[in-house]
Amino acid sequence: MEKEVHEQYEYARKRLRQKKVLYFHFVLFLLGSLFLFIANKFFGFGEGTTQNWCIWGITIWLFIFILHFIKVYITDRFMNKKWEREQIDRLVALQQKRISQLESKINEDTENKI
């Protein structure tokens, strides 16, 4: 029982750290986007270009943030230790079933030859 409690604690700690890093990434995204916008509009960075470069930078950063969000709240939420354990148990059961089928086939072939 103690092992399960420790695993639950470690899982909760890992999830909390993931969320904390995601929130930090969000704040960094907001401040960075604001900085890029101000640098473009008020300080004249990129005046020689015809395109609005800060919008491209913010859009790419937003896409990366969305991927991070999906990883934390969708992918890692469902594919956790419990999911891994279930998949391993299922694959081991399939392997054991296949081994027993092969063993029974070998036994049948051996009995037929004798």
Side-chain angles (χ1 to χ4, degrees):
M1 184 69 176
E2 186 175 316
K3 183 179 178 183
E4 289 179 19
V5 172
H6 181 69
E7 285 180 3
Q8 289 174 347
Y9 172 77
E10 287 299 320
Y11 174 72
R13 198 170 67 97
K14 179 184 171 192
R15 290 288 296 157
L16 182 63
R17 186 177 186 312
Q18 286 178 332
K19 290 179 182 181
K20 185 178 176 181
V21 170
L22 180 69
Y23 297 149
F24 178 75
H25 187 182
F26 179 68
V27 170
L28 191 65
F29 166 71
L30 288 179
L31 293 176
S33 298
L34 182 64
F35 173 75
L36 290 176
F37 180 76
I38 290 172
N40 187 39
K41 293 294 179 188
F42 299 111
F43 295 117
F45 286 110
E47 284 182 356
T49 62
T50 58
Q51 295 180 347
N52 202 354
W53 65 272
C54 74
I55 299 300
W56 283 103
I58 292 170
T59 304
I60 292 169
W61 200 347
L62 178 64
F63 179 71
I64 293 169
F65 175 75
I66 290 171
L67 289 177
H68 190 180
F69 180 85
I70 289 171
K71 181 186 180 305
V72 170
Y73 279 102
I74 296 173
T75 306
D76 286 352
R77 185 175 184 185
F78 297 111
M79 295 182 183
N80 54 22
K81 288 284 186 187
K82 181 181 176 185
W83 180 83
E84 287 178 16
R85 204 172 299 123
E86 289 172 358
Q87 294 300 313
I88 289 171
D89 291 342
R90 184 180 64 84
L91 291 173
V92 167
L94 286 173
Q95 288 174 347
Q96 288 175 346
K97 181 181 175 184
R98 181 68 180 145
I99 289 171
S100 65
Q101 288 174 348
L102 289 172
E103 286 176 347
S104 65
K105 185 176 179 182
I106 289 172
N107 290 338
E108 287 176 10
D109 289 345
T110 306
E111 290 175 2
N112 290 338
K113 289 183 180 181
I114 294 179

